[in-house]
PDB file of all heavy atoms in Angstrom:
ATOM      1  N   ASP A  95       2.888  21.452 -10.225  1.00  0.00           N
ATOM      2  CA  ASP A  95       2.735  22.762 -10.739  1.00  0.00           C
ATOM      3  C   ASP A  95       2.543  23.843  -9.589  1.00  0.00           C
ATOM      4  O   ASP A  95       2.907  24.906  -9.555  1.00  0.00           O
ATOM      5  CB  ASP A  95       1.311  22.727 -11.625  1.00  0.00           C
ATOM      6  CG  ASP A  95       0.943  24.122 -12.143  1.00  0.00           C
ATOM      7  OD1 ASP A  95       1.692  24.671 -12.958  1.00  0.00           O
ATOM      8  OD2 ASP A  95       0.031  24.754 -11.490  1.00  0.00           O
ATOM      9  N   ASP A  99       4.649  27.049  -9.190  1.00  0.00           N
ATOM     10  CA  ASP A  99       3.883  28.424  -9.180  1.00  0.00           C
ATOM     11  C   ASP A  99       4.003  28.984  -7.820  1.00  0.00           C
ATOM     12  O   ASP A  99       3.302  29.988  -7.633  1.00  0.00           O
ATOM     13  CB  ASP A  99       2.468  28.161  -9.678  1.00  0.00           C
ATOM     14  CG  ASP A  99       2.420  27.758 -11.143  1.00  0.00           C
ATOM     15  OD1 ASP A  99       3.409  28.067 -11.800  1.00  0.00           O
ATOM     16  OD2 ASP A  99       1.263  27.325 -11.581  1.00  0.00           O
ATOM     17  N   GLN A 163       3.742  22.976 -20.228  1.00  0.00           N
ATOM     18  CA  GLN A 163       4.236  23.530 -19.055  1.00  0.00           C
ATOM     19  C   GLN A 163       5.484  24.278 -19.154  1.00  0.00           C
ATOM     20  O   GLN A 163       5.687  25.465 -18.718  1.00  0.00           O
ATOM     21  CB  GLN A 163       4.413  22.418 -17.963  1.00  0.00           C
ATOM     22  CG  GLN A 163       3.386  22.007 -17.085  1.00  0.00           C
ATOM     23  CD  GLN A 163       3.010  23.082 -16.003  1.00  0.00           C
ATOM     24  OE1 GLN A 163       3.465  24.147 -16.057  1.00  0.00           O
ATOM     25  NE2 GLN A 163       2.143  22.617 -15.044  1.00  0.00           N
ATOM     26  N   ASP A 166       4.892  27.488 -20.847  1.00  0.00           N
ATOM     27  CA  ASP A 166       4.281  28.475 -19.823  1.00  0.00           C
ATOM     28  C   ASP A 166       5.183  29.069 -18.918  1.00  0.00           C
ATOM     29  O   ASP A 166       5.281  30.090 -18.538  1.00  0.00           O
ATOM     30  CB  ASP A 166       3.133  27.588 -19.243  1.00  0.00           C
ATOM     31  CG  ASP A 166       2.247  28.552 -18.331  1.00  0.00           C
ATOM     32  OD1 ASP A 166       2.058  29.711 -18.702  1.00  0.00           O
ATOM     33  OD2 ASP A 166       1.745  27.995 -17.324  1.00  0.00           O
TER      34      ASP A 166
HETATM   35 MG1  LIG C   2       1.643  26.550 -13.669  1.00  0.00          MG
END
Side-chain angles (χ1 to χ4, degrees):
Chain A
D95 181 70
D99 292 346
Q163 268 284 16
D166 187 30

